[in-house]
């Protein structure tokens, strides 16, 4: 009983002190309180925005086009290749009869909207469905196709009419009856708008790039009569729906188990999981980066909270001298941190949502380019992500408040009351032994193998732990540089009093110096480490592109930069290039999506020219006995087809030279022998490369995805390009240089988000340095009185502050660059290799590092000088 | 100082104060807490500006000087000794004394010679390399005196220089101030609560509610 009374009493004291001191302090110093809240909001905002944008980009594909029928219960997709025969619907109906199930065959293709420049053609998703069946579905309102009778002459099965998104029609100022051009494979066609599809609040939004047609019309338009892309099965709502769904599930699963069926069963959840898996590594890296940004933000909050504690040390000391226990003081500070954390995180959520709208475009473009089509243009405020960011922000604030409050509460009141005393503060960073220990642990973590989850996701946990460990270790160890740098400055500037004074401050650095340094190390290390990764990636990619792109002209269909673009060059078209009199040779490739060991991969059928001397050169990781592509045509004695696999495939499935694999194609399972492993930086799912003659047989398909053309010596590239562009207006024909620059453009676009995160990190760290110096000056106000009394001018005090700030930044830079080299090694040789399966060449971007160093030093000096100038008139406590 | 008025808000801290000190003279300034002693010292040292009246130091009017000119005044002409010593905690004893000399641009060798001489004259030459926190209160005040004497000022302002010392050490500090001021011929304005401290001065002024009450 007395114990609970004590607790109640203690709570009462905390509440009283919170009202009397904390709230009043906030009111009186509203600017610094607002800054603190702003910093916290920025940290939470960055973290949340990246996670929201990631989530939106991943879920974008799962929208309207994925489930045209609404909530389909099952989706059947081709087991191999991209199409199913339409007869599968009849077979299916017979197999599940008499269950009342609506079957929706769907044909889907990525086409392009024609514009003046085919390289800029916007991709569109063309869906062909049974419009009559769709209209009868209860979940689809009768008014959905209400505009088709608007005098545009639409008839079911028309290959010339399509429905478009109402938002697109409004943006493009189009109306039913208007027409627009589409590029399908290598030809152009005109479609009339039959009607517009309006958004329904109960269904996913209609994507702007959708073109919806009646199934037979779409099949005719795409040149795929009798073929479909998938079948959706829906059990209509009703009292028996659950039971029917169960029975349907049993039937379908029994059927799927048979080897003879052409399809595989997929639920919506499977599809979502598969998309999430595809982008797992990409999203994980972005999340880790945003977490690092939050970590830098936490350093800043820590500095800001410590600065607040410094300003109020005498207040704390007075309270202690009045008999308030250290524990109560800590609780008051924790309550303050909690309140700041809650307010800052709440604002950060709004900020994060707004920033996510900016980031989502960049991330969606990357996902589009590398993984699959996503139409996301806006990021929603996901409750689980919001809660995570909020919790993260509040915890960071509590941690940031607790550490300095613990130090302050444990300082004897008499010492704290003497404002001239130096405060060592924050003890954690003053233990080099701990730094060495953490460095050793980090070193061990760097050697840990990748952790593969039950669902097959690869987590380079060891690499991330090593990165975090090195960050902490160097934040502690870089502190040993203070004394030598102080000595150097004393020697170099022995006749300059302000430099001597500044150098003397580094002779015995306080916890605040070390904290500012740690913040800089984290930010510079992160920015430069990513810089090393990007530079290494760029260098490797450029070398790889130089080896790969040796032809003069490259031909593809419009919108070909999209990862899911399935448009192809028909044999009539690509053979015309091969037979052209100006052409010496042609490389062609055809890619198919397949499954291997339950995971999506690509099978590529290639045919390389034998005429030109400039042949494609592979970058071998495990070289073949015979590197001539012609060797891929020779079937082995046991019937196995020779294949080259890329590094991602090799690492994902632990398959190397000499191993045997089997892939299921429409012509049944095909055995292959792996002859070599090559570097490939365009794919992280894994590709198996065979000769095109085999894929042509297995898929009964002579089309190719793209072609590389080698012109005869002396031929004019531009003239040839212009001639063919005129002849094939639906094709994109790029010169060698143009394609290289296009590849690098996509590359830089991929890293656009990381550049923004780096910039935020460095800005936040420099603000942190400014805050640290400001609180140091407040703490040294008696020294300011002394300096003034012996004749220091304001400019001299400002210069002293600038020198101290620059020296601090220099140590931060030294530690940050050391960290960046270690992070670079971890990112390239551990994290990247384990996540993406790519081997990169280690390259240091010296120019970037020098620029970053100069910028950081200059900014730090300027910020410190301003703070020094403003702080030069601070006065110590009167001594009377 | 002629007709100096200084207010903090509504409160008048110095009320039409007239006061002068001759070269080489030592004057004790006494009065209860809050009587305006430190404010008067700050006005003489150019750390604070009067709201009205004139302040002249070494023949120069200083109450209208800008920041840099005041800094120059404090560098060469008026130095201060504080109750809590105010040594820069990160500098050694010799570096603390050297700092005003460096500000005057005195060359290293000359500077080192004078620092050694000054530390010797106040009796702490054996602690030249010690940081302030390694010194006793008396040693710290001796270093502070050496620093105040370093630029050979015309006026030394001493704000309770023995207020934070035990009586024996305080006595020795007062003796030191007296002998050095005699030797160097600089004026000393000593703010103190102690009549014993005032004994080294030629005259004593009593300040109450911002006005001089008379000579003690």
């Amino acid at each position: 009983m007395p114990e609970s009374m004590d607790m109640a009493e203690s709570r009462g004291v905390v509440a009283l002190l919170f009202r009397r001191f904390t709230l009043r302090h906030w009111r009186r110093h509203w600017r610094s309180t607002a800054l603190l809240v702003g910093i916290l909001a920025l940290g939470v905002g960055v973290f949340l925005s990246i996670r929201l944008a990631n989530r939106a980009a991943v879920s974008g594909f799962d929208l309207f086009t994925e489930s045209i029928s609404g909530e389909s219960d099952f989706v059947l997709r081709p087991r191999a290749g991209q199409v199913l025969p339409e007869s599968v619907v009849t077979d299916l109906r017979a197999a599940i009869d008499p269950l009342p199930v609506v079957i929706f065959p769907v044909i889907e293709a990525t086409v392009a909207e024609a514009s003046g420049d085919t390289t800029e053609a916007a991709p569109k998703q063309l869906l062909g469905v049974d419009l009559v069946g769709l209209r009868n579905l209860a979940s689809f309102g009768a008014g959905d196709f209400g505009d088709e009778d608007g005098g545009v002459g639409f008839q079911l099965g028309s290959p010339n009419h399509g429905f478009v998104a109402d938002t697109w029609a409004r943006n493009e100022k189009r109306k039913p009856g208007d027409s627009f051009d589409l590029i399908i494979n290598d030809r152009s066609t005109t479609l009339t708008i039959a009607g517009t599809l309006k958004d329904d609040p109960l269904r996913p939004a209609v994507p702007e790039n959708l073109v919806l047609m009646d199934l037979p019309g779409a099949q005719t338009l795409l040149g795929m009569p009798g073929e479909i892309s998938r079948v959706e099965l829906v059990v209509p709502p009703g009292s028996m729906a659950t039971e029917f769904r169960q029975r349907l599930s049993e039937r379908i699963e029994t059927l799927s188990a048979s080897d003879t069926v052409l399809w595989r069963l997929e639920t919506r959840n499977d599809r979502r999981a598969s998309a999430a898996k595809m982008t797992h590594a990409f999203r994980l890296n972005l999340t880790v980066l945003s977490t690092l940004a939050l970590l830098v933000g936490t350093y800043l909050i820590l500095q800001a909270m410590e600065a607040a504690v410094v300003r109020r040390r005498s207040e704390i000391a007075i309270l202690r001298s009045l008999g308030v226990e250290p524990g109560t003081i800590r609780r008051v500070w924790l309550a303050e941190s909690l309140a700041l954390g809650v307010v800052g995180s709440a604002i950060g959520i709004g900020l994060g949502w707004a920033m996510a709208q900016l980031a989502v475009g960049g991330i969606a473009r990357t996902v589009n380019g590398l993984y699959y089509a996503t139409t996301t243009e806006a990021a929603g405020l996901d409750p689980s992500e919001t809660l995570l960011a909020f919790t993260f922000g509040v915890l960071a604030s509590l941690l940031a408040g607790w550490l300095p409050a613990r130090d302050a509460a444990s300082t004897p009141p008499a010492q704290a009351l003497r404002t001239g005393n130096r405060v060592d503060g924050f003890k954690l960073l003053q233990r080099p032994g701990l730094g060495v220990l953490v460095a050793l642990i980090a070193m061990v973590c760097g050697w840990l193998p990748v952790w593969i989850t039950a669902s097959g996701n690869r987590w380079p946990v060891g690499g991330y732990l090593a990165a975090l460990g090195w960050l902490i270790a160097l934040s502690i160890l870089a502190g040993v540089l203070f004394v030598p740098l102080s000595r150097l400055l004393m020697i170099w500037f022995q006749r300059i009093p302000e430099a001597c004074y500044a150098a003397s401050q580094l002779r015995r650095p306080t916890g605040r110096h070390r904290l500012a340094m740690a913040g800089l190390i984290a930010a510079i290390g992160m920015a430069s480490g990513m810089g090393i990764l990007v530079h290494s990636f760029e260098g490797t990619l450029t070398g790889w592109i130089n080896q790969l792109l040796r032809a003069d002209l490259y031909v593809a269909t419009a919108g070909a930069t999209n990862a899911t673009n399935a448009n192809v060059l028909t044999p009539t078209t690509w053979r015309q290039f091969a037979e052209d009199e100006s052409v010496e040779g042609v490389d062609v490739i055809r890619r198919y999506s397949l499954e291997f060991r339950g995971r999506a991969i690509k099978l590529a059928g290639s045919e390389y020219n034998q005429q030109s001397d400039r042949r494609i050169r592979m970058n071998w990781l495990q070289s073949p006995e015979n590197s001539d592509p012609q060797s891929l045509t020779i079937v082995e004695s046991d019937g196995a087809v020779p294949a080259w696999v890329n590094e991602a495939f090799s690492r994902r499935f632990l398959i190397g030279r000499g191993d045997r694999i089997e892939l299921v194609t429409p012509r049944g399972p095909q055995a292959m022998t792996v002859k070599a492993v090559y570097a490939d930086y365009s794919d992280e799912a894994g590709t198996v490369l065979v000769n095109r003659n085999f894929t042509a047989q297995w898929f009964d398909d002579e089309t190719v995805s793209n072609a590389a053309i080698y012109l005869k010596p002396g031929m004019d590239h531009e003239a040839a390009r212009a001639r063919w562009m005129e002849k094939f207006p639906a094709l994109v024909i790029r010169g060698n240089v143009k394609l290289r620059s296009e590849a690098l453009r996509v590359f830089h676009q991929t890293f656009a988000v990381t550049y923004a995160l780096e910039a935020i990190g460095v800005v936040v760290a420099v603000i942190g340095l400014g805050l640290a110096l400001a609180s140091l000056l407040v703490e040294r106000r008696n020294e300011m009185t002394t300096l003034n009394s012996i004749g220091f001018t304001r400019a001299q005090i400002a210069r002293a502050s600038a020198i101290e700030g620059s020296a601090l930044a220099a140590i931060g830079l030294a530690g940050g660059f050391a960290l960046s080299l270690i992070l670079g090694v971890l990112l390239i040789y551990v994290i990247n290799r384990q996540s993406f399966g790519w081997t990169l060449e280690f390259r240091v971007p010296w120019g970037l590092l020098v620029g970053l160093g100069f910028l950081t030093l200059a900014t730090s000096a300027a910020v410190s000088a301003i703070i020094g100038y403003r702080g030069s008139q601070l006065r110590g406590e009167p001594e009377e | 100082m002629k007709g100096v008025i200084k207010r903090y808000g509504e409160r008048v801290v110095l009320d039409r104060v007239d006061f002068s000190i001759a070269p080489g003279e030592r004057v004790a300034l006494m009065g209860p807490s809050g009587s305006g002693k430190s404010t008067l010292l700050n006005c003489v040292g150019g750390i604070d500006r009067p709201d009205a009246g004139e302040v002249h130091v070494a023949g120069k009017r200083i109450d209208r000087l800008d920041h840099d000119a005041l800094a120059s005044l404090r560098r060469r002409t008026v130095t201060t000794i504080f109750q809590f010593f105010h040594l820069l905690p990160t500098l050694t004893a010799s570096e603390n004394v050297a700092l005003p000399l460096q500000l005057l641009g005195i060359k290293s060798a000359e500077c080192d010679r004078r620092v050694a001489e000054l530390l010797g004259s106040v009796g702490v030459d054996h602690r030249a390399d010690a940081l302030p926190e390694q010194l006793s209160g008396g040693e710290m005040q001796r270093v502070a005196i050496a620093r105040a004497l370093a630029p050979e000022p015309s006026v030394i302002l001493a704000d309770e220089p023995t207020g934070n010392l035990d009586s024996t050490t305080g006595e020795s500090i007062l003796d030191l101030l007296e002998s050095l001021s005699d030797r160097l011929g600089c004026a000393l304005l000593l703010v103190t609560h102690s009549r014993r401290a005032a004994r080294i001065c030629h005259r004593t002024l009593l300040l109450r509610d911002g006005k001089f009450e008379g000579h003690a």
Side-chain angles (χ1 to χ4, degrees), chain A residues 39 244 493 684 730:
Chain A
I39 291 162
F244 287 149
F493 303 115
E684 66 184 77

Side-chain angles (χ1 to χ4, degrees), chain A residues 22-43:
Chain A
T22 306
L23 292 181
R24 285 185 187 179
H25 177 84
W26 286 358
R27 267 205 303 275
R28 283 183 59 196
H29 302 278
W30 63 270
R31 282 191 191 88
S32 55
T33 307
L35 179 69
L36 207 59
V37 169
I39 291 162
L40 193 66
L42 185 67

Side-chain angles (χ1 to χ4, degrees), chain A residues 494 504 507 788 879-880, chain B residues 37 74 83 86 90 102:
Chain A
Q494 56 178 316
S504 78
R507 193 185 284 168
N788 274 305
E879 296 183 353
E880 260 188 304
Chain B
K37 302 187 297 289
R74 291 192 293 269
Q83 179 183 356
H86 283 196
T90 52
Q102 289 171 322

